[in-house]
């Protein structure tokens, strides 16, 4: 079952847009130039309504169909890059040191622009489609900001859909699942206050490094001894800062890390246990402790009916054998989760071929995926808004 002919025709043009964006990465909410490019293209396409500044720097374009009144669905792409230095060596590599599109958001934006161009040309659907271009997916919660700005109500969006490229998955393949598909992403910082002193007289100190070492191991009992073995939870200590000299036991040690889960109750349990373990281990050694726990993105949960619609649309262009309907969840986070808390919808992965992995300095979005992404968005729109 082939991709749409018009999507194939658009590939080279959309790839040019994608490479233009790739050379000019912007971070978090500071995506003014990217948003301006998106707005310019939407105006060129003759999109019916364009709203900028949603969620600070987000852009939404509304395209009305020619087949009569009806519902509105939303299609979302993210625009921001990562604070990394690119080493891919491609001719269109980032021109800004310390910033690069290492997650393919340039490709996501370009593909949704391609779909917007097609849909504005054909308008072969009922109702309307809102094309959503979101800032600050990489840690800023731009999706939440757009929801809080009233985007769903303003455009009367009833369903919302998202898509992400997947390195290692062949071009032309798709994968999704009902229920949790990406994890919540919480963060913690634990500050241990001991008593410093001479390294030759440890008995006169309360050594926060020894306490911290005990704590690192104890935190791993949360997934191994507290959580149900079938419940996914990852506790990672990613920072351990203490000390300043070879012969001095320091006063303080600071540990930090992340917690990732696929269930709300497991998320609650992990936070509770981190606090309890830190307090009790510190007390056992005579130290004091402060625990900061920050809840970041919630679990990304696909809705059953909308996931079926996504699978149907993907299968119509890729064939049923190239759509994985029960793909394993990923323990990475995604702020599309906020949109799925606001409206029913589904998130799907699309093959990026044999490329470097996401968040890798050698990564580059595969332009061969462009016609498949455009075709998916168009088929989803036309089937969900059929006359």
């Amino acid at each position: 079952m082939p991709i749409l002919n018009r999507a194939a025709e658009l590939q080279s043009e959309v790839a040019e847009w994608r490479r233009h964006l790739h050379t000019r990465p912007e971070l978090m909410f500071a995506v003014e130039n990217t948003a301006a490019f998106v707005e310019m293209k939407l105006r060129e396409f003759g999109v019916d309504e364009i709203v900028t500044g949603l969620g600070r720097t987000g852009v939404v374009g509304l395209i009305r169909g020619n087949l009569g009144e009806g519902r509105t669905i939303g299609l979302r792409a993210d625009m921001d890059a990562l604070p990394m230095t690119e080493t891919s060596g491609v001719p269109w590599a980032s021109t800004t040191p310390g910033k690069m599109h290492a997650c393919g958001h340039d490709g996501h934006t370009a593909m949704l622009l391609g779909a917007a161009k097609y849909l504005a040309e054909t308008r072969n659907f009922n109702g309307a489609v809102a094309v959503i271009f979101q800032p600050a997916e990489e840690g800023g919660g731009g999706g939440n900001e757009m929801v809080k700005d009233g985007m769903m109500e303003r455009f009367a969006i009833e369903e919302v859909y998202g898509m992400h490229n997947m390195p290692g998955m062949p071009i032309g393949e798709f994968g999704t699942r009902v229920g949790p598909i990406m994890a919540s992403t919480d963060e913690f910082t634990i500050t241990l206050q001991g008593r410093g002193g001479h390294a030759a007289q440890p008995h006169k100190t309360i050594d926060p490094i020894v306490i911290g070492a005990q704590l690192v191991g104890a935190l791993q009992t949360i997934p191994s001894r507290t959580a149900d073995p079938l419940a996914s939870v990852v506790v990672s200590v990613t920072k351990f800062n203490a000390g300043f000299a070879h012969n001095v036991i320091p006063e303080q040690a600071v540990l930090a890390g992340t917690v990732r889960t696929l269930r709300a109750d497991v998320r609650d349990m992990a936070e509770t246990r981190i606090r309890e373990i830190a307090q009790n281990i510190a007390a056992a050694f005579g130290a004091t402790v402060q625990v900061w726990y920050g809840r970041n993105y919630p679990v990304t949960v696909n809705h059953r009916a909308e996931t079926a619609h996504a699978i149907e649309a993907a299968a119509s262009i890729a064939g049923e054998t190239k759509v994985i309907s029960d793909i394993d969840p990923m323990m990475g986070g995604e702020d599309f989760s906020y949109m799925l808390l606001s409206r029913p919808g589904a998130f799907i992965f699309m093959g990026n071929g044999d490329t470097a992995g996401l968040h890798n300095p050698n990564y580059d979005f595969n332009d061969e995926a462009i016609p498949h992404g455009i075709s998916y968005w168009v088929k989803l729109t036309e089937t969900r808004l059929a006359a």
Side-chain angles (χ1 to χ4, degrees), residues 33-260:
N33 293 326
T34 304
F37 181 84
V38 167
E39 180 187 2
M40 176 186 70
K41 289 299 177 185
L42 294 178
R43 293 197 185 282
E44 287 179 9
F45 305 157
V47 168
D48 298 290
E49 183 180 349
I50 302 170
V51 177
T52 61
L54 282 170
R56 304 192 208 178
T57 47
V59 182
V60 177
L62 192 70
I63 306 169
R64 297 185 179 90
N66 282 335
L67 302 184
E69 298 296 323
R71 303 176 306 114
T72 299
I73 66 168
L75 313 178
R76 173 270 204 173
D78 34 20
M79 297 188 289
D80 58 320
L82 282 157
M84 299 171 58
T85 296
E86 184 165 359
T87 59
S88 69
V90 296
W92 50 87
S94 170
T95 57
T96 307
K99 299 178 184 179
M100 75 166 288
H101 272 293
C103 205
H105 296 185
D106 52 336
H108 301 165
T109 296
M111 287 189 297
L112 188 53
L113 282 174
K117 181 171 184 174
Y118 182 106
L119 293 166
E121 290 173 350
T122 59
R123 300 180 183 267
N124 186 33
F125 53 91
N126 265 329
V129 57
V131 287
I132 302 164
F133 297 88
Q134 178 211 301
E137 190 281 324
E138 297 291 356
N144 191 31
E145 293 302 312
M146 294 188 85
V147 170
K148 290 194 297 184
D149 255 2
M151 177 184 69
M152 299 300 184
E153 294 78 14
R154 180 167 186 166
F155 294 97
I157 295 170
E158 296 185 21
E159 299 173 11
V160 65
Y161 297 88
M163 177 167 57
H164 203 293
N165 78 95
M166 179 64 70
M169 179 183 286
I171 294 289
E173 291 194 5
F174 294 84
T176 188
R177 67 180 292 113
V178 174
I181 189 168
M182 296 192 75
S184 59
T185 57
D186 296 346
E187 300 174 348
F188 63 86
T189 301
I190 301 172
T191 303
L192 292 164
Q193 189 68 39
R195 183 171 64 239
H198 201 294
Q201 298 177 316
H203 59 293
K204 296 182 179 180
T205 72
I206 298 174
D207 190 340
I209 293 178
V210 170
I211 301 168
Q214 297 287 326
L215 184 55
V216 171
L219 291 177
Q220 297 311 307
T221 65
I222 295 172
S224 70
R225 289 296 179 269
T226 307
D228 184 325
L230 299 179
S232 299
V233 55
V234 179
V235 179
S236 297
V237 177
T238 56
K239 297 180 183 180
F240 192 142
N241 299 319
F244 52 88
H246 284 81
N247 59 349
V248 177
I249 291 173
E251 295 274 324
Q252 190 179 87
V254 180
L255 288 72
T258 66
V259 177
R260 300 170 186 271

Side-chain angles (χ1 to χ4, degrees), residues 258-322:
T258 66
V259 177
R260 300 170 186 271
T261 70
L262 292 172
R263 283 174 24 190
D265 61 328
V266 177
R267 188 185 199 188
D268 293 340
M269 175 276 293
E271 177 179 358
T272 298
R273 290 298 293 143
I274 285 174
R275 294 184 184 279
E276 291 173 346
I277 290 169
Q279 292 288 348
N280 286 310
I281 286 181
F285 286 92
T288 59
V289 64
Q290 290 184 333
V291 179
W292 173 85
Y293 193 97
R295 295 211 169 195
N296 202 343
Y297 299 167
V299 181
T300 304
V301 181
N302 280 346
H303 299 248
R304 183 171 298 277
E306 287 68 29
T307 303
H309 300 321
I311 292 169
E312 178 186 6
S316 72
I317 61 169
E320 292 183 2
T321 61
K322 293 188 176 181

Side-chain angles (χ1 to χ4, degrees), residues 1-5 172-174 308-323 348 371-384:
M1 295 183 183
I3 58 176
L4 298 171
N5 290 335
E173 291 194 5
F174 294 84
H309 300 321
I311 292 169
E312 178 186 6
S316 72
I317 61 169
E320 292 183 2
T321 61
K322 293 188 176 181
V323 179
I348 197 168
H372 302 274
I374 293 174
S375 297
Y376 170 75
W377 284 136
V378 170
K379 284 292 186 181
L380 182 63
T381 299
E382 292 181 346
T383 54
R384 293 307 302 136

